[in-house]
């Protein structure tokens, strides 16, 4: 570590930038005026092959006065002397170029036409232009270098290697080297591109590739490694993390690129690597902006808006400027949190939040008739598998009958786009949760068949960081000192982030066809035991892992597409479309449901119909 003192101006810039606004503007202008005078004199000297006695010095003096006056006027017009640009920045150099070119045209053309009358060579101004530009840009560059090299950090700094010499990495290095408040001091760049091996940014050089991190640490004494690679996949991040850990390096990552580009990130926003980073995968670009036009200017209702998925879904929907967003949930505290994240307040006294339970058919129908949504996203559901195994009737009331209530209310007011959020447990279901969501998919298909409108379902695996999911549960167990419970050493699951899950949901409303189920390619499943071990390792604690055995209805390995479900990818290479049989809600039988849940007779497709009411699909292969 190192600690230095710093002298800064009131604005927080290094001493090289000190001085009030007026004095800084005057200093810039005087330097530019001197550059013009020097350039004009040198241009005439070159024109006369340095025979200075041939120069008309009085005419030259008048020309210099005219040019430096024109420089101030043009500089004011292009904001060169009005404090718009940071000193020595690309924006300021562009302004310098436009100012000099303007002056050369305004003054140079009259000189070209009439200069001979005043003993001024006609080419003088145009010969002076490149010389003046070099002087002006050179002075700014030198002053910027002096300012950057004179930075003294207020706090102790950690010697830092930056992995990635692209846009994010080089920008980060510049900020580290110029921000006196930075807790990090960049001492080297790491990049796997051999073409960048000689690259240098703000005095910081590329010191090796990912295979040479050990040598880079030895040469620089770095204690921190910042990964500055946009959309890095988890497998690569795991490899980097493992190497860094072996060298005693602390690994940090940047916020998402969108936050960086929107100016939401600062150096202090660098964060420690998380388990979400390590078990996620490369984010699939679902090209959501190109197909979400069906939301703009329309009334949109989200059920379950107080939950993790519903809240993020609501935030994403607001990006597409709906005429009205209606957020419905029975959890008033959850609704308040969502409202705060979207509106900046949690007053709960506005019409965008609606307190209701999807089990209440009459209340739901009244809300739909009053608000008349045109697009509905159905995220409300019970989702904990072992809990629903104990209380299967709760799954029936919420996941099955609640879905029926939402569908019928939507159909009654002419909703033309309905997206039901399902789960991978609905593919080849073996649990009460899986079967309840499978039935919800079939009910959604029935509504599509009945209305001819776009009523679709979206199926995905575990969502990282969602309320009550695996990672937060493991975190709580580790913080409590353990033990950490894992069902089976070979159990695997699919994972995706909350934002990506919601992007898929929004996109489904744009590309899904009536009665389809859309499934995102989630890559390779992740072994839960590996996640548990890595989280314990990252915590630095000695935590015991206990295997509890698979719970009733739980699978060793989840699947996304059922055994007899076909699949095609007609629109996006990472999104599978499959058709599912429909089921009329009039044929649902709660007694049959309870009986089969009790005996776990879920070896077929999980459709429960009243005897004598239509054809039973219980024995239909694949369902």
């Amino acid at each position: 570590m190192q600690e230095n003192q710093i002298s800064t101006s009131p604005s927080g810039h290094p001493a090289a930038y000190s001085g009030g606004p007026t004095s800084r503007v005057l200093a810039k202008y005087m330097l530019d005026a001197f550059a013009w005078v020097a350039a004009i004199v040198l241009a005439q000297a070159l024109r006369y092959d340095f025979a200075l006695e041939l120069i008309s010095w009085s005419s030259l003096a008048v020309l210099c006065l005219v040019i430096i006056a024109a420089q101030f006027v043009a500089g004011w017009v292009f904001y060169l002397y009005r404090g718009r640009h940071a000193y020595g920045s690309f924006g300021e150099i562009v302004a310098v170029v436009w100012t000099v070119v303007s002056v050369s045209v305004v003054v140079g053309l009259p000189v070209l036409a009439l200069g001979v009358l005043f003993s001024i060579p006609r080419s003088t101004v145009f010969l002076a232009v490149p010389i003046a530009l070099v002087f002006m840009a050179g002075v700014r560059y030198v002053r910027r270098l002096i300012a950057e090299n004179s930075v003294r950090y207020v706090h102790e700094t950690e010697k830092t290697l930056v992995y990635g010499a692209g846009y994010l990495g080089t920008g980060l290095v510049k900020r580290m080297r110029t921000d006196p408040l930075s807790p990090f001091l960049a001492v080297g760049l790491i990049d796997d591109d051999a073409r960048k091996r000689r690259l240098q940014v703000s005095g910081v050089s590329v010191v090796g590739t990912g295979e040479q991190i050990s040598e880079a640490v030895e040469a620089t004494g770095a204690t921190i490694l910042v990964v500055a690679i946009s959309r890095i996949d988890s497998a690569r991040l795991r490899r980097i993390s493992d190497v860094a850990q072996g060298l005693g390096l602390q690994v940090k990552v940047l916020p998402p690129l969108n936050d960086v580009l929107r100016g939401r990130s600062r150096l202090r926003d660098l964060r420690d690597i998380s388990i979400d980073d390590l078990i996620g995968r490369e984010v699939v670009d679902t090209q959501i902006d190109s197909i979400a036009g069906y939301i703009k200017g329309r009334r949109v209702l989200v059920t379950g808006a107080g939950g993790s998925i519903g809240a993020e879904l609501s935030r994403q929907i607001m990006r597409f400027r709906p005429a009205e967003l209606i957020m419905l949930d029975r959890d008033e505290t959850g609704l308040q949190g969502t409202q705060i994240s979207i509106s900046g307040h949690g007053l709960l006294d506005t019409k965008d939040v609606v307190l209701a339970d999807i089990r209440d058919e009459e209340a739901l129908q009244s809300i739909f008739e009053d608000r008349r949504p045109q697009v509905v996203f159905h995220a409300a559901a019970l989702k904990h598998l072992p809990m629903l195994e104990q209380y299967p009737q709760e799954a029936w009331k919420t996941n099955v009958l609640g879905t029926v209530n939402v569908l019928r209310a939507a159909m009654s007011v002419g909703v033309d786009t309905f997206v039901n959020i399902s789960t991978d447990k609905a593919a080849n279901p073996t649990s009460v949760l899986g079967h309840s969501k499978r039935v919800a998919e079939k009910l959604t298909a029935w509504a599509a068949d009945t209305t001819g409108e776009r009523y679709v379902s979206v199926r995905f695996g575990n969502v990282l960081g969602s309320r009550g999911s695996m990672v937060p549960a493991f975190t709580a167990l580790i913080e409590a000192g353990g033990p950490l419970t894992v069902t089976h050493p070979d159990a695997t699951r699919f994972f995706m982030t909350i934002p990506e899950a919601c992007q898929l949901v929004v996109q489904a409303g744009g590309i899904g066809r009536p009665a389809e189920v859309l499934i995102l390619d989630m890559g390779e499943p992740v072994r839960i035991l590996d996640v548990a071990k890595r989280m314990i390792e990252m915590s630095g604690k000695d935590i015991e892992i206990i295997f509890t055995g698979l719970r009733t209805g739980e699978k060793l390995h989840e699947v996304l597409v059922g055994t007899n479900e076909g699949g095609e990818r007609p629109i996006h290479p990472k999104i599978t479309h499959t058709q599912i049989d429909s089921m009329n809600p009039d044929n649902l039988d709660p007694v049959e449901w309870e009986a089969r849940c009790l005996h776990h007779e879920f070896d077929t497709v999980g459709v429960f119909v009243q005897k004598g009411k239509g054809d039973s699909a219980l024995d239909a292969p694949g369902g």
Side-chain angles (χ1 to χ4, degrees), residues 49-317:
D49 292 328
F50 291 94
L52 302 183
E53 68 277 4
L54 299 178
I55 297 176
S56 173
W57 292 101
S58 59
S59 298
L60 183 64
V62 172
L63 176 61
C64 288
L65 289 174
V66 171
I67 279 187
I68 61 178
Q71 172 71 17
F72 183 81
V73 173
W76 190 264
V77 170
F78 290 107
Y79 293 91
L80 186 58
Y81 308 125
R82 295 165 68 179
R84 168 172 288 187
H85 307 290
Y87 203 95
S89 66
F90 178 76
E92 186 180 40
I93 297 303
V94 171
V96 168
V97 171
W98 279 109
T99 300
V100 171
V101 169
S102 299
V103 170
S104 67
V105 171
V106 171
V107 180
L109 290 180
V111 171
L112 184 63
L114 306 171
V116 68
L117 300 178
F118 302 98
S119 302
I120 299 176
R122 291 180 292 181
S123 60
T124 298
V125 176
F126 297 108
L127 281 174
V129 167
I131 301 172
L133 279 175
V134 170
F135 282 173
M136 293 179 195
V139 168
R140 284 167 168 80
Y141 179 70
V142 170
R143 286 199 61 191
R144 178 171 175 173
L145 281 181
I146 293 172
E148 290 181 356
N149 292 329
S150 66
V151 170
R152 296 295 182 267
Y153 296 93
V154 173
H155 309 291
E156 289 186 343
T157 57
E158 295 275 3
K159 291 184 177 180
T160 303
L161 289 173
V162 177
Y163 199 126
Y167 171 81
L168 289 179
T170 55
L172 187 62
V173 167
K174 291 175 184 176
R175 291 170 65 183
M176 286 183 181
R177 300 293 292 189
T178 57
D179 184 358
L181 300 178
S182 168
F184 309 104
L185 175 64
V187 293
L189 282 157
I190 301 290
D191 200 282
D192 296 323
D193 187 347
R195 294 171 296 181
K196 296 180 180 178
R197 63 182 181 274
R198 294 187 179 89
L199 179 68
Q200 189 176 84
V201 179
S202 296
V204 179
S205 304
V206 172
V207 293
T209 67
E211 302 296 327
Q212 300 168 316
I213 295 179
S214 177
E215 292 86 340
V217 170
E218 185 176 349
T220 62
T223 56
I224 296 222
L225 177 67
V226 176
V227 180
I229 302 174
S230 176
R231 292 192 172 188
I232 186 170
D233 64 271
S234 59
R236 186 180 182 189
L237 192 55
R238 285 196 297 270
R239 290 194 297 270
I240 294 172
S241 176
D242 291 341
V243 171
Q245 185 176 32
L247 297 171
L249 283 174
Q250 184 180 358
V251 180
K252 292 185 176 291
V253 293
L254 281 168
L257 178 60
N258 284 343
D259 290 349
V260 175
L261 294 177
R262 293 171 184 170
R264 296 176 182 171
S265 69
R266 298 162 297 177
L267 287 178
R268 65 178 64 95
D269 292 330
L270 287 174
R271 59 177 174 80
D272 292 334
I273 195 169
S274 71
I275 191 63
D276 291 6
D277 300 316
L278 297 175
I279 67 175
R281 57 196 172 77
E282 183 178 359
V283 176
V284 174
D285 182 6
T286 55
Q287 301 167 350
I288 183 175
D289 292 338
S290 63
I291 47 78
Y294 69 95
I295 292 176
K296 183 178 179 180
R298 311 192 76 206
R299 296 181 299 277
V300 182
L301 184 144
V302 178
T303 71
S308 305
I309 295 293
E312 174 62 21
L313 186 56
S314 298
R315 287 189 287 270
Q316 290 198 20
I317 288 169

Side-chain angles (χ1 to χ4, degrees), residues 449-485:
D449 292 342
T450 302
T451 63
E453 300 288 358
R454 185 182 287 133
Y455 281 61
V456 300
S457 295
V458 177
R459 190 187 293 171
F460 45 76
N462 289 33
V463 179
L464 290 171
S466 62
R467 193 168 61 182
S469 62
M470 183 189 76
V471 171
F474 279 2
T475 300
L477 289 172
I478 290 172
E479 289 177 351
L484 202 155
T485 55

